[in-house]
């Protein structure tokens, strides 16, 4: 996965809105999201915000939750936004970010006022269909509303597990598919390192160490979580 990520180095930068997906769970999408965030933060004159969705957590699986999380990061990077949000709340008489319509307006304005913004959202498959549709359409509409000379100011990357329902929601978005091939080298390296530790601890023969290494890697089938469960 690290090797693949390095080779593609922020491949989503070539498209305004991109999606990374896989058919199998726990293939390393969240690890990839973290790597992309880390890499993006090294770029100059770029603001980076991100969000990790979580199933059945209203603060982590709804548009309102995503908007709150992203806005809090934008506020930390731009003091002028605080006065804008305060003024908006005073005029509307509503608590900021208490309703979807207000959150949508605040987030849209904040994004459009950013000079160069990269947004990474992991685990959109953790959101219910209606919420996922709202999130995806919001960012599609934001990008579509940008003037032609400003389209490069926004980049979005969504990461999710693939299924027939989700595929329809991302129909208009450029996609990259992760397979077990992409993280095979990382799984082999991890299995080798841990099997060597086990060999040292229990004073195993070299052929036993190789057997453990191969067993772990073969049974993983591209699933990172399965590797961790077998090794620990």
């Amino acid at each position: 996965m690290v090797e693949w990520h390095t080779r593609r180095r922020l491949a989503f930068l070539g498209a305004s809105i991109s999606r990374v997906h896989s058919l199998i769970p726990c293939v390393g999408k969240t690890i990839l999201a973290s790597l992309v965030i880390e890499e993006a933060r090294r770029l100059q004159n770029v603001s980076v915000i991100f969000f990790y969705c979580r199933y059945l957590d209203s603060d982590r699986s709804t548009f309102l939750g995503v908007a709150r999380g992203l806005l809090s990061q934008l506020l930390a990077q731009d003091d002028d936004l605080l006065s804008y949000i305060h003024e908006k709340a005073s005029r509307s008489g509503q608590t900021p970010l208490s309703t979807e319509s207000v959150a949508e307006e605040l987030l849209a304005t904040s994004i459009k006022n950013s000079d160069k913004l990269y947004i990474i959202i992991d685990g959109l498959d953790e959101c219910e269909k209606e919420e996922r549709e709202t999130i995806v359409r919001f960012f599609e509409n934001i990008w579509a509303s940008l003037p032609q000379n400003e389209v490069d100011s926004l980049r979005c990357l969504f990461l999710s597990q693939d299924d027939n329902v989700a595929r329809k929601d991302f129909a208009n978005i450029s996609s990259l598919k992760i397979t077990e091939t992409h993280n095979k080298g990382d799984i082999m390296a991890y299995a080798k390192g841990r099997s060597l530790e086990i060999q040292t601890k229990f004073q195993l023969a070299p052929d036993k160490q190789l057997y453990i290494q191969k067993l772990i890697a073969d049974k993983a089938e591209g699933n990172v979580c399965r590797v961790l469960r077998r090794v620990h």
Side-chain angles (χ1 to χ4, degrees):
M1 177 63 69
V2 174
E3 204 174 288
W4 179 73
H5 162 73
T6 302
R7 189 167 63 249
R8 295 305 297 261
R9 191 181 178 270
L10 294 180
F12 79 101
L13 300 185
S16 293
I17 304 180
S18 301
R19 175 191 176 219
V20 172
H21 63 96
S22 68
L23 289 171
I24 58 177
C26 211
V27 75
K29 296 182 295 298
T30 298
I31 295 173
L32 178 60
S34 298
L35 289 171
V36 171
I37 292 167
E38 181 180 326
E39 186 76 11
R41 282 176 161 173
R42 294 194 179 104
L43 301 176
Q44 295 184 346
N45 302 318
V46 173
S47 297
V48 181
I49 57 176
F50 55 91
F51 194 85
Y52 293 92
C53 300
R54 181 180 297 168
Y55 183 57
L56 293 181
D57 184 339
S58 60
D59 292 329
R60 304 282 291 277
S61 63
T62 64
F63 172 78
L64 193 56
V66 171
R68 287 170 174 165
L70 296 180
L71 271 170
S72 67
Q73 295 173 67
L74 287 170
L75 281 170
Q77 299 177 28
D78 187 351
D79 293 336
D80 293 336
L81 283 178
L82 185 59
S83 58
Y84 165 71
I85 291 178
H86 178 72
E87 181 181 352
K88 178 66 180 176
S90 300
R91 290 181 177 181
S92 66
Q94 296 179 327
T95 303
L97 304 182
S98 60
T99 64
E100 189 173 295
S101 59
V102 173
E104 184 173 328
E105 181 180 350
L106 292 175
L107 184 57
T109 302
S110 301
I111 289 174
K112 290 179 180 179
N113 284 337
S114 299
D115 293 330
K116 190 81 170 180
L117 181 64
Y118 291 165
I119 303 172
I120 300 96
I121 301 179
D122 175 56
L124 273 178
D125 54 295
E126 302 280 338
C127 304
E128 297 292 346
K129 185 178 186 302
E130 290 185 2
E131 296 293 342
R132 182 172 62 239
E133 287 178 345
T134 300
I135 294 168
V136 173
R137 298 299 169 260
F138 170 80
F139 287 104
E140 285 183 329
N141 292 336
I142 287 289
W143 183 81
S145 69
L146 294 174
Q148 189 62 34
N149 62 340
E150 295 181 12
V151 292
D152 288 335
S153 65
L154 176 65
R155 288 289 183 268
C156 298
L157 176 65
F158 302 135
L159 299 99
S160 71
Q161 188 173 331
D162 198 18
D163 58 54
N164 290 331
V165 177
R167 195 174 301 136
K168 296 177 182 177
D169 298 331
F170 298 105
N172 299 321
I173 296 177
S174 174
S175 295
L176 297 171
K177 183 178 180 180
I178 300 177
T179 69
E180 56 271 20
T181 302
H182 292 126
N183 58 13
K184 182 178 180 180
D186 295 313
I187 289 175
M188 286 295 297
Y190 186 80
K192 179 180 180 179
R194 295 293 286 127
S195 64
L196 286 172
E197 290 178 12
I198 294 172
Q199 178 190 28
T200 300
K201 182 177 180 179
F202 296 101
Q203 298 182 340
L204 301 177
D207 61 324
K208 293 294 185 181
Q209 177 268 317
L210 291 174
Y211 172 78
I212 294 172
Q213 175 184 321
K214 186 176 185 304
L215 179 65
I216 294 171
D218 290 346
K219 294 297 183 180
E221 298 180 346
N223 190 307
V224 176
C225 297
R226 194 173 297 167
V227 174
L228 296 176
R229 285 197 298 266
R230 285 185 174 275
V231 172
H232 290 285

